[in-house]
Amino acid sequence: MNNVEKVIILNDYATVQGGAAQVAVLSALTLSDKGIPVIYIYGTGGVDERLKKSNVICINLEQYDLLNNPSRFNSAVTGLWNFSVAKKLRQILTEHYTSGTIIHLHSWVKSLTPSALSVLSRGKYPTVVTLHDYFSACPNGAFYDYVSESICKKVPLSRKCLVKNCDSRSYLQKIWRSIRQFITKKSGMPANFRYFIKVSDFSERIISNFLHESSILFDVPNPIEVSSSKNYDKLSVDRISVNSDVIYIGRLDKEKGVRLLLEAFRDTSGKSLRIVGVGALEDELKSELHEAKFEGWQNREGILSALSKSKVLVFTSMWYETQGLTVLEAASVGVPCVVSDACAARESVEDGKTGLWFKSGDSNDLKQKVQYLMDNPLIADDMGKSAYKKFWCSPPTSSAHADKLLETYERILDIIEEERI
């Protein structure tokens, strides 16, 4: 078995801007703690305070991301191909890459751009890609039609895809995204990348149809930043049983299904609803659900604190998702979930045992499932207890995640060595 001598992580950001960055930062920290030299290359922005205090070497490519570039024209051009990224990345890899090095790519669409993909594929570096989203195949990264608010099953970049306005902003933006996707394909993604990490069986079923037949997928669940409670019974009696709020956590945007919250809770004006997050529909929600508790964006500690004060989590996403970390975070503190049956998060919920599934897009079914748990608190408590026990039976901690990553990296190096012989 080959030993991993170094890991080079590539991601758009070095601060937690979303799920991909959260996983990238956590994995860098934990791999470094396990004695693996880690270089973290990112496109733009600041550096997470934890990374600053660690032994991880952080290298900023000093670019703008798509939204913060002061020039819209430059943003549109460099978002398709960034020569500076390609040049700097090539130089860094020439300096730092050695045999026994694995390159781990997380996200690239916001600042690294397809030019980074070209450097990796043409250089034939041993690279593994975590499939946090569907940008490796779909122009908008979601297989979701934002106009009709429904799952899209059109073949990416096919004629039917290109003539359809499915973008969250405009058809012009759709054309730009399609051009970027075409360049992404020409840069080798996904055909010239062989090794991928899936985060759920659900997302694998969606994306595997678009990967090369020689692709190898590894199962490495995302890590969850939580702390174990060693006494669930006390937790249940003293906290969960007395809670009475339903909680939603996530972006307040169409594809997240937040309009279902409007329809499901309009009759009560959101009296029992806590909403954690920000987004385009925030004002609309506040005007309709004026008695709901809006808690804005929260960091990890704030999210876990909000969950610990709630009875049931609702996960209403209309798009596929790739995992749904919030559902697992809820389980870690004994809160059951009512989850859409059309997204990846349903894999984390045993229907009728650790929570309930509702029919995707059906606000009446959502309302009925939530009401059932609120009307039957003992059943909700039992589901929460089952979710808690299932989670902590094999918790996806950052340490376990790093161990699984190292197994994956070593397997990749073994495959490369075997094929050389």
Side-chain angles (χ1 to χ4, degrees), residues 212-362:
H212 193 271
E213 59 183 13
S214 65
S215 297
I216 300 175
L217 276 78
F218 298 92
D219 187 7
V220 184
N222 283 331
I224 309 293
E225 286 186 282
V226 290
S227 299
S228 175
S229 172
K230 295 180 179 179
N231 189 337
Y232 181 82
D233 291 333
K234 186 176 188 305
L235 178 82
S236 179
V237 171
D238 291 352
R239 179 171 56 74
I240 299 297
S241 294
V242 299
N243 291 343
S244 59
D245 286 342
V246 178
I247 187 169
Y248 168 88
I249 299 174
R251 288 185 290 106
L252 305 183
D253 295 320
K254 288 181 180 179
E255 69 275 17
K256 288 294 187 176
V258 293
R259 283 214 169 100
L260 295 175
L261 294 177
L262 277 178
E263 297 168 14
F265 288 88
R266 183 176 278 120
D267 292 344
T268 63
S269 298
K271 289 181 181 178
S272 64
L273 184 63
R274 306 169 70 93
I275 297 178
V276 177
V278 295
L281 299 181
E282 183 173 358
D283 290 341
E284 183 178 348
L285 285 171
K286 285 182 176 179
S287 66
E288 295 282 346
L289 305 177
H290 49 84
E291 293 190 54
K293 306 175 186 71
F294 287 85
E295 302 182 9
W297 181 89
Q298 297 288 328
N299 59 19
R300 194 62 40 197
E301 292 75 18
I303 287 174
L304 292 175
S305 175
L307 280 168
S308 70
K309 300 171 185 175
S310 304
K311 189 76 167 180
V312 177
L313 170 76
V314 289
F315 195 90
T316 55
S317 192
M318 302 278 284
W319 74 289
Y320 286 135
E321 299 279 352
T322 53
Q323 185 175 25
L325 295 179
T326 307
V327 174
L328 291 171
E329 290 168 339
S332 76
V333 293
V335 175
C337 181
V338 177
V339 61
S340 163
D341 66 358
C343 72
R346 73 180 192 181
E347 287 190 352
S348 301
V349 175
E350 290 186 65
D351 190 28
K353 294 183 178 180
T354 64
L356 297 172
W357 294 359
F358 76 94
K359 186 177 179 181
S360 179
D362 189 331

Side-chain angles (χ1 to χ4, degrees), residues 109 132-144 146 177 180-181 319 321-322:
V109 297
H132 295 286
D133 48 48
Y134 301 107
F135 275 114
S136 56
C138 174
N140 68 28
F143 289 112
Y144 185 76
Y146 290 85
R177 290 184 195 270
R180 181 180 64 183
Q181 196 64 33
W319 74 289
E321 299 279 352
T322 53

Side-chain angles (χ1 to χ4, degrees), residues 361-372:
D362 189 331
S363 61
N364 287 327
D365 196 35
L366 169 64
K367 183 177 181 178
Q368 290 173 11
K369 297 294 173 59
V370 171
Q371 195 62 51
Y372 173 75

